[in-house]
Amino acid sequence: MRLAVFLFLAYTLCMATKKRTIAVLGATGSIGRSALDVIRRNSGCFEPILFSAHTDRRGLLVLGEEFRTAKLALSGQDALSDGRIHYTGEEGLYQAIASAGADIVINGIAGSAGLAPSFAAVDAGCSRLCLANKETIVMAGTILLEKAREKNCRVVPVDSEHSAVFQLLEAHGRDSLDRILLTASGGPFRRFSHEQLARVMPKDALTHPTWNMGAKITIDSATMANKGLEVIEAVRLFDVDTDKIEVVVHPQSVVHSMVSFKDGSVYAQMSNPDMRLPIQSALFYPEKAPITINNLDFSALTLTFESPDVEKFPLLPLAYQAARLEGLYSTAYNAANEEAVSLFLAGRIGFLDINVIVREVLQKDWSGGLTLEAIWNADRKARNVAATIATQLFTRGI
Ligand code: MG
């Protein structure tokens, strides 16, 4: 019965809108898989015409079998090896995005690799960019949003916190906005002592309490760099002062974020934690889609809130510092962190070294005008500085 109602609602909603073409970038990753689930449930609304993956060739081919008319792009492979993959390499991916000319592009690519594809999507004339790649906004938000405005492309966030804030501001306006309260799970180690944190190994960090995500974002959640990046993302995306953003630790991840207004009212967006909801909101915006996830059972809920421990998780205050300094500091923060996380995952540095590396990289001068070229130069330079610091830490440690 419930399924019948769902299908009827989905059918009614889709009949009211034209079937829209869609490109899913990072289609075999965590965001991509959730997006595909939403697309399958609403197959009358969306027609996938492009899927991209970085190295998961097999996963990409499986999608190609299911959606036979969609083109396939494998950005991590240099040469075409058979006729089933249509585009390869980074250039191939940009070409694929341009040729597809999809109405909607979902960017679920992880890390700074997602930046150029976001620009390619806006350049290709998509009417909506559903953005799960926070690095696009952290590194080049100002430039991308300006370009999107020029090209009449609506950028809708898919990050669950920003999706929540986006929806709350749509509903309540922002005239008397006082603060944005970003919720944070606090990561798996929020109760750990400094000594315990020093002993954390990659395998300990890769078990996240609530969300099932990729390795990079899972480590970022454990160090709270993820929330740091989200603070910068919120500042750029919603064009608010850094000091208007407050982080609230909420381990249950049921309240996805809140906004407070000058009269003291606070509005929250809540649901069971499930990435399909922000994806669905972005795909159907400004409509509300039929429900795909379970309703909250308030009788079974205990919600708690606390302040983040900024001494224990310094990547959070460092992100505030990067956001305030503007210029290329956000790019440097992101690049240093990406580099440090991959070194940690490779067993080259300890968990707490990630903090040391990002802090030291940010002490350099990252002022300068914001152009794409300057961003990529700063990204490269910050990675080199991070790698040098890591080598020093490693040498000191042996
Ligand atoms: Mg998030």
Side-chain angles (χ1 to χ4, degrees), residues 134 158-162 183 217 226-227 230 233 275:
K134 61 192 71 173
V158 168
D159 211 348
S160 63
E161 296 78 0
H162 304 75
T183 47
I217 193 169
N226 183 52
K227 209 49 55 180
E230 290 184 354
E233 186 185 2
M275 275 314 290

Side-chain angles (χ1 to χ4, degrees), residues 116-245:
S118 289
F119 277 86
V122 175
D123 279 331
C126 67
S127 62
R128 187 175 316 159
L129 174 60
C130 301
L131 202 50
N133 177 265
K134 61 192 71 173
E135 290 77 4
T136 297
I137 298 296
V138 168
M139 294 168 73
T142 323
I143 310 176
L144 181 93
L145 293 170
E146 199 181 304
K147 191 185 251 286
R149 263 191 301 273
E150 275 167 23
K151 296 271 216 172
N152 237 344
C153 167
R154 186 80 202 237
V155 178
V156 185
V158 168
D159 211 348
S160 63
E161 296 78 0
H162 304 75
S163 169
V165 174
F166 181 84
Q167 292 179 59
L168 289 164
L169 294 179
E170 285 279 312
H172 302 285
R174 51 177 298 160
D175 291 349
S176 55
L177 177 69
D178 181 37
R179 277 171 309 148
I180 290 175
L181 299 117
L182 286 185
T183 47
S185 74
F189 311 131
R190 80 181 191 286
R191 300 267 179 258
F192 271 32
S193 65
H194 188 81
E195 291 68 30
Q196 285 172 304
L197 285 176
R199 288 195 299 270
V200 165
M201 303 298 283
K203 64 174 171 29
D204 307 321
L206 292 174
T207 321
H208 191 276
T210 311
W211 302 94
N212 177 18
M213 307 172 293
K216 158 75 168 51
I217 193 169
T218 304
I219 303 300
D220 283 351
S221 172
T223 60
M224 291 198 82
N226 183 52
K227 209 49 55 180
L229 291 167
E230 290 184 354
V231 167
I232 304 172
E233 186 185 2
V235 169
R236 308 278 181 258
L237 199 54
F238 303 115
D239 194 20
V240 291
D241 285 345
T242 309
D243 299 320
K244 296 265 182 196
I245 314 273

Side-chain angles (χ1 to χ4, degrees), residues 110-111 135 200-203 205-206 214-226 229 315 332-358 361 382-383 386-387 390 393:
E135 290 77 4
V200 165
M201 303 298 283
K203 64 174 171 29
L206 292 174
K216 158 75 168 51
I217 193 169
T218 304
I219 303 300
D220 283 351
S221 172
T223 60
M224 291 198 82
N226 183 52
L229 291 167
L315 293 188
Y333 176 92
N334 178 64
N337 179 59
E338 269 193 30
E339 193 64 27
V341 170
S342 66
L343 290 166
F344 170 68
L345 287 171
R348 302 269 307 166
I349 58 169
F351 185 75
L352 292 176
D353 292 337
I354 302 173
N355 302 337
V356 176
I357 289 172
V358 177
V361 168
R383 282 169 202 274
L393 288 169

